[in-house]
Amino acid sequence: MAGRAPFLPDKIFRYIVEHVVREAPVLAELRQATRKVRHSGMQIGADQGNLMALLVKLMRAKRCLEIGTYTGYSALAVALALPEDGSVVCCDISEEFTSVGKPFWKKAGVEKKIDLRIGPALRTLDEMLAKDKGRFDFAFIDADKPSYWSYYERCLELLRPGGLIAVDNVLWSGEVADPKANDQQTIALRVFNERVNKDERVDTAMLTIGDGVTLALKR
Ligand code: SAH
Ligand code: CA
């Protein structure tokens, strides 16, 4: 099941998404449409979509940033939570994946809030740094794991003080805690977690929702 927390028994996750979490019909439709797409397991769960929408509302965020959009579920969850004049800049390298989401963004009436930038996210972020430093309220990092630290550094610069970064997959199905797991992605996430933990520029909390989400609040 897409977005299933690897640490939660399937029965409990099913109960949560069926009875506890509110998923707007258009988000449910996008989830359904994504089932046919390659790598549909990368999509965040409905519970995490709820959390991100709540954070955006709680912060009264207007300017959001997303690194790793896939078929656009997290972008849609965020866009639906934003006020009319809010926006989310979405970075992804794949036309194939992001084009799945576009009709649903339109159907939800939020396509004007979503500014999709196709290309390597590092390049897009570096372009943004020239004029958008300190202008963002919220960022979601969910693209290629070896680049996480580079994304994090750039997001910190793009955020205002009091802005929040949410980082996905920080537990990597528990591999980060397995000393025998030493592939490139696991190592990158382990190093990332260590660095964030020592980073005095932020206050942090880590949630065991989904595949582990770290929240870092810029001081
Ligand atoms: N947040 C999405 C899931 C993202 S999956 C959701 O809620 O459904 C990770 C995405 O990162 C993929 O779509 C992939 O194309 C993208 N990606 C991988 N490497 C990238 C890079 N260097 N720059 C931008 N996007 C990248
Ligand atoms: Ca993810």
Side-chain angles (χ1 to χ4, degrees):
M1 195 188 280
R4 188 181 74 77
F7 324 104
L8 268 190
D10 197 53
K11 191 172 84 173
I12 298 176
F13 183 67
R14 204 173 283 277
Y15 174 78
I16 292 171
V17 296
E18 286 174 5
H19 299 281
V20 182
V21 163
R22 292 189 206 163
E23 189 177 48
V26 69
L27 281 169
E29 286 170 34
L30 174 53
R31 178 175 304 288
Q32 189 62 31
T34 302
R35 288 175 67 162
K36 301 190 284 281
V37 181
R38 289 186 292 126
H39 309 301
S40 60
M42 296 198 301
Q43 185 176 58
I44 62 164
D47 52 345
Q48 193 178 329
N50 254 208
L51 170 74
M52 289 173 58
L54 191 86
L55 290 172
V56 164
K57 287 191 178 181
L58 180 69
M59 299 181 72
R60 300 190 207 289
K62 276 197 175 177
R63 293 180 50 98
C64 301
L65 181 56
E66 174 171 276
I67 328 287
T69 295
Y70 185 50
T71 63
Y73 187 97
S74 46
L76 181 53
V78 164
L80 286 167
L82 284 169
E84 270 315 304
D85 60 345
S87 63
V88 51
V89 174
C90 292
C91 306
D92 205 290
I93 37 170
S94 172
E95 293 271 8
E96 180 198 345
F97 294 147
T98 52
S99 65
V100 175
K102 283 182 187 167
F104 296 89
W105 297 346
K106 196 169 164 61
K107 188 170 181 190
V110 297
E111 84 271 28
K112 284 194 300 295
K113 295 185 197 171
I114 301 178
D115 177 1
L116 176 63
R117 314 263 179 101
I118 297 290
L122 275 181
R123 200 171 68 201
T124 305
L125 293 171
D126 282 339
E127 282 164 15
M128 291 171 69
L129 278 170
K131 52 182 193 328
D132 289 331
K133 266 188 198 155
R135 296 194 59 204
F136 285 85
D137 304 301
F138 177 81
F140 181 50
I141 300 179
D142 191 18
D144 50 313
K145 311 312 168 197
S147 301
Y148 262 31
W149 187 255
S150 307
Y151 296 146
Y152 174 87
E153 284 285 2
R154 284 160 180 77
C155 285
L156 261 189
E157 285 197 71
L158 289 165
L159 286 189
R160 62 165 166 91
L164 187 75
I165 307 181
V167 188
D168 202 35
N169 304 105
V170 295
L171 293 177
W172 206 232
S173 305
E175 298 280 282
V176 286
D178 179 355
K180 291 193 291 295
N182 282 307
D183 58 286
Q184 195 201 5
Q185 306 199 75
T186 305
I187 290 171
L189 286 162
R190 223 178 256 142
V191 170
F192 177 82
N193 288 337
E194 291 288 333
R195 285 184 177 169
V196 174
N197 193 228
K198 292 194 178 79
D199 188 353
E200 297 291 340
R201 297 169 296 177
V202 294
D203 292 302
T204 66
M206 206 221 85
L207 308 174
T208 52
I209 192 170
D211 193 21
V213 176
T214 286
L215 300 179
L217 185 71
K218 181 173 172 176
R219 287 180 171 158

